[in-house]
Amino acid sequence: MEWTTSCLDWEKRIVAGQSLIQFDPLFPDEAEAALAVFKSLKIVDAPGQPTFGEACEEWVFDFVQAIFGAYDHEAAKRHIREFFLLISKKNSKSTIAAGIMITALIRNWRHSCELLILAPTLEVANNSYKPAADMVRADPELTDLLHIQDNFRQITHRLTKATLKVVAADTDTVGGKKAAFVLVDELWLFGKKSNADAMLREATGGLVSRPEGFVIYPSTQSDAPPAGVFKAKLDYFRDVRDGKIPDRKTLGVLYEFPKAMVEAETFLDPDNFYITNPNLGRSVSQEWLEEEMVKELNGAGDTKRTFLAKHLNIEIGMNLRANRWPGADFWEARADKAITLDHVLEVCEVIVPGVDGGGLDDLFGLTIVGRHRVTKDWLCWSHAWCHIGVLDRRKSIASKLRDFEKAGELTIVDDKLDDLSEIVEIIQDIKDRNLLAAVAVDPAGLGELVDALDEIGVNDEAKNIIGAPQGYAMMNAIKTTERKLTNGTLLHSGSALMNWCVGNLKIEPTATAIRATKQNAGDAKIDPVMALFDAVTVMSRNPEVKREPSYQMIFAA
């Protein structure tokens, strides 16, 4: 059979309200049989307790048919095995997921089969289990067929002895599971767990010997920049949808706004709310969304961000808050992926490395600022290092740090602490090219770095190391950076690491000045941005270009 799970015209389809699944079920008989079961299940917490068949929009039936219609009964094999549903909050995601898993429990033929709903927290687990159990209790025939065990959050098929179990990742273990059918609820929350990748591999390992199985990832958008396994899955399923990765065994149904609508902010138009809310008018109230949007757009930055992420599926690019650094508003617009370390070394006439941080619970940030020899624009490139112990001490950001490591923007070092030698090596290269104006450092706690730089001739005596003013005294560098970003004369490499750090930056007013600090003490890291401000302290003094000495011979008569 020939089919593709890509949907190249998804932007046109989603605006037109058309299905995002553009192929028919591979095995129509299987699709219809499963859909009949699914449609008969009751939604107990809805007024009048309607069935799915009575209450759902067509997109739900398309999704159910795609899942069960991918199963080849004769070969006992499922041809599409991984599914991703990204949809706004309150579109009955968890209830639909429960219905799909009850349908799978009924349709399953394997004796003693395990079906698993894996939830990130106990609360989400209960939200997934309750509608599933209620569907069974509401139907006398299902009550005869399926045995509910509330104390275990488990439903057992009386004939096949197959079990549907709901497991909370923060209280239960997934080790040793051999589930053929797995549903991972609220994947965005797993993106915040440092061990989520290993946990999901353990939970889905049973599919290796159960070719009839599937994995479904239903989720809303994250209320922070996507991270960890959520970011990895979201990026992968987008690439499959867009035809960049040919993978017929995975299907993503992603209700999100087209890029042009995000850039134009037309997602704020209530007439467009339907795009990420396909259940609008059923489980989602248009009136409620409009009222909430008015409140949130006139409220604090945190609640606005959460509303846009959860109810309109807007991906948070930077963690912008009400007390954010003003330069953050222009940061992403000044990104240029052509800016690499080698590019800065090649096109700049003078360079200032800024260094900040370095404690075992911190990042060690390096940001180099170079002045372009032709345009005179400032080009910035950043990198950071951290000790591996940070991953244990700061579990809430561990998956994010691993993402930065994979992107080549962060180096995680062990007890050898190779961070210093790598930083010194970069500065040595800049010095050898005769581009070094000076190294700007936070004077506090960098004695070891100062000693290492002294070995390559960077010291007070050579006047090429400068202690950058900190606290309120850094105000001039902060304001200069803002102005350069605003007028477009400061460009940067667009790293996700720096986007995150800029979003973590908070500006606090003092009696006569301002100071930069963290949004959240401990977990919010800003060291590479502070290194930028250190470098700007020196670059704003317009350092002279170092030229090779020239000699002239004069003959006297």
Side-chain angles (χ1 to χ4, degrees):
M1 293 185 297
E2 292 297 327
W3 77 91
T4 177
T5 54
S6 66
C7 188
L8 303 184
D9 61 343
W10 72 270
E11 294 184 326
K12 178 181 177 181
R13 283 173 168 267
I14 202 167
V15 173
Q18 298 174 347
S19 175
L20 299 181
I21 303 172
Q22 59 177 5
F23 60 91
D24 294 329
L26 306 184
F27 300 92
D29 291 344
E30 285 293 325
E32 286 302 318
L35 186 61
V37 173
F38 178 82
K39 283 185 172 183
S40 70
L41 300 174
K42 289 187 176 182
I43 307 173
V44 174
D45 62 350
Q49 297 190 3
T51 63
F52 280 116
E54 296 167 338
C56 286
E57 292 284 356
E58 199 63 36
W59 71 270
V60 178
F61 305 142
D62 290 343
F63 189 58
V64 172
Q65 285 185 300
I67 295 170
F68 292 98
Y71 177 62
D72 181 351
H73 177 73
E74 292 185 4
K77 177 182 178 181
R78 194 172 305 273
H79 291 283
I80 305 174
R81 306 193 71 188
E82 285 197 56
F83 302 86
F84 190 104
L85 174 63
L86 183 71
I87 195 166
S88 293
K89 193 176 178 66
K90 298 303 179 184
N91 279 266
S92 299
K93 170 182 58 63
S94 294
T95 304
I96 292 168
I100 290 173
M101 295 305 284
I102 289 292
T103 301
L105 179 62
I106 295 170
R107 294 287 299 164
N108 163 69
W109 52 263
R110 187 185 290 271
H111 282 255
S112 298
C113 180
E114 292 184 16
L115 295 86
L116 179 67
I117 296 180
L118 180 61
T121 65
L122 181 59
E123 182 180 1
V124 175
N126 290 331
N127 290 341
S128 300
Y129 173 73
K130 191 175 185 301
D134 287 345
M135 290 172 196
V136 176
R137 291 191 177 100
D139 188 323
E141 290 187 20
L142 288 185
T143 304
D144 291 338
L145 183 65
L146 306 176
H147 175 46
I148 298 173
Q149 299 162 281
D150 287 330
N151 53 329
F152 298 117
R153 291 195 301 274
Q154 179 172 297
I155 301 174
T156 302
H157 196 291
R158 297 182 192 274
L159 300 180
T160 63
K161 303 305 177 184
T163 58
L164 168 60
K165 186 171 180 60
V166 182
V167 173
D170 59 353
T171 59
D172 302 317
T173 178
V174 297
K177 298 293 182 185
K178 298 179 180 179
F181 304 91
V182 181
L183 188 141
V184 183
D185 203 4
E186 296 293 13
L187 186 65
W188 71 277
L189 281 171
F190 282 97
K192 298 184 177 183
K193 293 181 176 291
S194 59
N195 62 338
D197 185 60
M199 187 187 303
L200 295 188
R201 288 182 184 276
E202 188 73 30
T204 59
L207 273 72
V208 173
S209 58
R210 292 159 179 79
E212 76 274 15
F214 60 61
V215 183
I216 306 175
Y217 303 99
S219 184
T220 55
Q221 185 54 267
S222 175
D223 59 3
V229 293
F230 176 66
K231 182 181 187 302
K233 293 292 183 185
L234 181 60
D235 289 346
Y236 186 82
F237 277 90
R238 279 174 175 166
D239 285 345
V240 172
R241 175 198 63 189
D242 297 342
K244 297 178 182 178
I245 298 177
D247 184 352
R248 303 194 309 166
K249 294 184 180 296
T250 65
L251 171 64
V253 179
L254 312 177
Y255 285 96
E256 54 186 357
F257 282 92
K259 182 179 179 181
M261 297 185 74
V262 173
E263 292 176 348
E265 294 193 349
T266 53
F267 56 81
L268 296 175
D269 183 348
D271 290 340
N272 293 326
F273 286 173
Y274 72 93
I275 289 178
T276 62
N277 291 278
N279 259 20
L280 198 65
R282 291 183 181 264
S283 62
V284 182
S285 166
Q286 173 86 21
E287 181 182 2
W288 185 90
L289 285 178
E290 291 183 21
E291 291 173 352
E292 284 299 303
M293 186 181 72
V294 172
K295 295 177 186 176
E296 302 303 342
L297 293 186
N298 290 284
D302 286 352
T303 56
K304 173 185 174 181
R305 184 184 68 250
T306 301
F307 174 80
L308 295 178
K310 292 303 173 187
H311 293 284
L312 296 179
N313 259 359
I314 299 300
E315 181 176 326
I316 304 301
M318 288 177 62
N319 209 4
L320 303 183
R321 296 172 169 86
N323 56 356
R324 65 188 178 272
W325 172 47
D329 292 346
F330 304 93
W331 183 261
E332 289 184 303
R334 304 308 177 209
D336 183 352
K337 291 295 185 181
I339 297 176
T340 62
L341 175 58
D342 288 339
H343 180 74
V344 175
L345 294 173
E346 181 180 341
V347 304
C348 289
E349 61 184 4
V350 64
I351 291 174
V352 179
V355 185
D356 190 278
L360 290 183
D361 194 34
D362 248 331
L363 301 187
F364 208 143
L366 169 68
T367 295
I368 67 170
V369 178
R371 189 173 67 217
H372 196 286
R373 65 170 57 96
V374 177
T375 67
K376 307 305 178 183
D377 289 343
W378 294 2
L379 309 185
C380 306
W381 175 87
S382 302
H383 194 84
W385 291 257
C386 77
H387 185 260
I388 193 169
V390 174
L391 302 180
D392 290 327
R393 285 189 292 272
R394 303 294 180 186
K395 292 185 183 298
S396 65
I397 61 171
S399 61
K400 192 176 295 291
L401 296 179
R402 286 296 188 188
D403 289 342
F404 299 146
E405 180 189 33
K406 291 176 185 175
E409 300 164 359
L410 173 75
T411 300
I412 298 176
V413 299
D414 55 23
D415 291 348
K416 295 179 182 178
L417 295 178
D418 294 329
D419 46 4
L420 273 182
S421 60
E422 293 176 12
I423 291 172
V424 171
E425 184 178 341
I426 292 172
I427 295 173
Q428 173 78 70
D429 189 18
I430 296 170
K431 183 173 180 287
D432 291 345
R433 294 170 185 257
N434 208 32
L435 297 173
L436 182 67
V439 178
V441 300
D442 174 1
L446 290 180
E448 192 178 2
L449 173 65
V450 172
D451 292 341
L453 290 175
D454 184 58
E455 295 180 6
I456 63 170
V458 177
N459 48 44
D460 289 332
E461 183 177 346
K463 297 183 179 180
N464 52 11
I465 186 169
I466 295 174
Q470 302 295 303
Y472 70 89
M474 188 181 270
M475 182 175 70
N476 181 63
I478 296 172
K479 294 292 187 182
T480 298
T481 308
E482 290 172 14
R483 293 183 63 83
K484 299 286 285 185
L485 284 168
T486 303
N487 64 25
T489 56
L490 187 152
L491 305 172
H492 59 87
S493 60
S495 74
L497 168 69
M498 281 295 278
N499 287 351
W500 178 61
C501 292
V502 167
N504 288 336
L505 196 64
K506 179 174 71 171
I507 299 299
E508 289 184 349
T510 66
T512 58
I514 60 170
R515 62 187 291 266
T517 185
K518 301 176 183 179
Q519 289 280 0
N520 176 24
D523 291 344
K525 303 301 181 183
I526 60 173
D527 305 276
V529 184
M530 300 304 288
L532 168 62
F533 294 149
D534 291 342
V536 168
T537 299
V538 176
M539 187 59 80
S540 62
R541 301 172 187 173
N542 196 27
E544 294 183 1
V545 178
K546 294 190 175 182
R547 307 186 187 282
E548 294 291 339
S550 59
Y551 302 94
Q552 185 178 12
M553 185 176 292
I554 299 176
F555 295 93

